[in-house]
Amino acid sequence: LSVVGLLEQLSGDGILFSEVEANFQLSPGGVKLFNSRAVGPSMGITMDGVYSNASRRMAMQGVISPLYVVNRPLGFLFSREGEGLFGFNYALNGSADAPKGSVNPLSVFTPGIFREMFRAPPPKPAQQVQN
């Protein structure tokens, strides 16, 4: 969805993220990730969730915002840091070796602040073990 991202991929270096920030809570049981984000000219991505050391399973969710260099100025007042006005909700669940990913394509029609209203709360460790 991004010309900038396509050019980055063609150069062989992958997608460039110019800024990465994450809040996390480390415990003997695993890691809880919240309010994390990575942004670059071609994409913005956020992530919240948990990872269990014992089961090596994860339950993560967030938003991928394509064309971030254009999308972010449009959503600056209406979306969370790291997300643009338009973005796709995604989830990663299961084993860290082979997580299952899902994307809600209709979430692109839920701009900025409204996306936050419909976002599920971050997964809790007990929920993660059941996945």
Side-chain angles (χ1 to χ4, degrees):
L1 291 176
S2 169
V3 174
V4 176
L6 179 61
L7 294 174
E8 288 176 348
Q9 285 294 313
L10 290 174
S11 74
D13 294 332
I15 303 257
L16 171 69
F17 290 108
S18 54
E19 187 178 334
V20 178
E21 184 176 323
N23 294 316
F24 62 93
Q25 182 178 20
L26 187 59
S27 70
V31 177
K32 180 179 178 183
L33 190 63
F34 50 97
N35 295 328
S36 63
R37 63 186 176 88
V39 297
S42 62
M43 152 183 332
I45 186 167
T46 60
M47 183 180 281
D48 298 306
V50 293
Y51 170 80
S52 169
N53 289 336
S55 65
R56 294 187 34 83
R57 296 180 64 82
M58 67 171 69
M60 303 285 179
Q61 66 181 17
V63 173
I64 297 172
S65 298
L67 297 167
Y68 191 72
V69 73
V70 174
N71 200 350
R72 179 61 183 152
L74 295 172
F76 181 70
L77 297 174
F78 304 107
S79 63
R80 200 167 131 173
E81 188 67 31
E83 298 176 8
L85 183 61
F86 300 103
F88 298 93
N89 290 348
Y90 74 91
L92 292 172
N93 293 293
S95 165
D97 297 328
K100 292 185 169 72
S102 64
V103 175
N104 179 354
L106 297 178
S107 61
V108 76
F109 297 115
T110 310
I113 196 164
F114 299 110
R115 191 181 313 118
E116 189 68 32
M117 291 170 38
F118 296 109
R119 187 187 320 253
K124 300 214 180 332
Q127 292 171 320
Q128 182 226 347
V129 174
Q130 296 172 357
N131 289 334

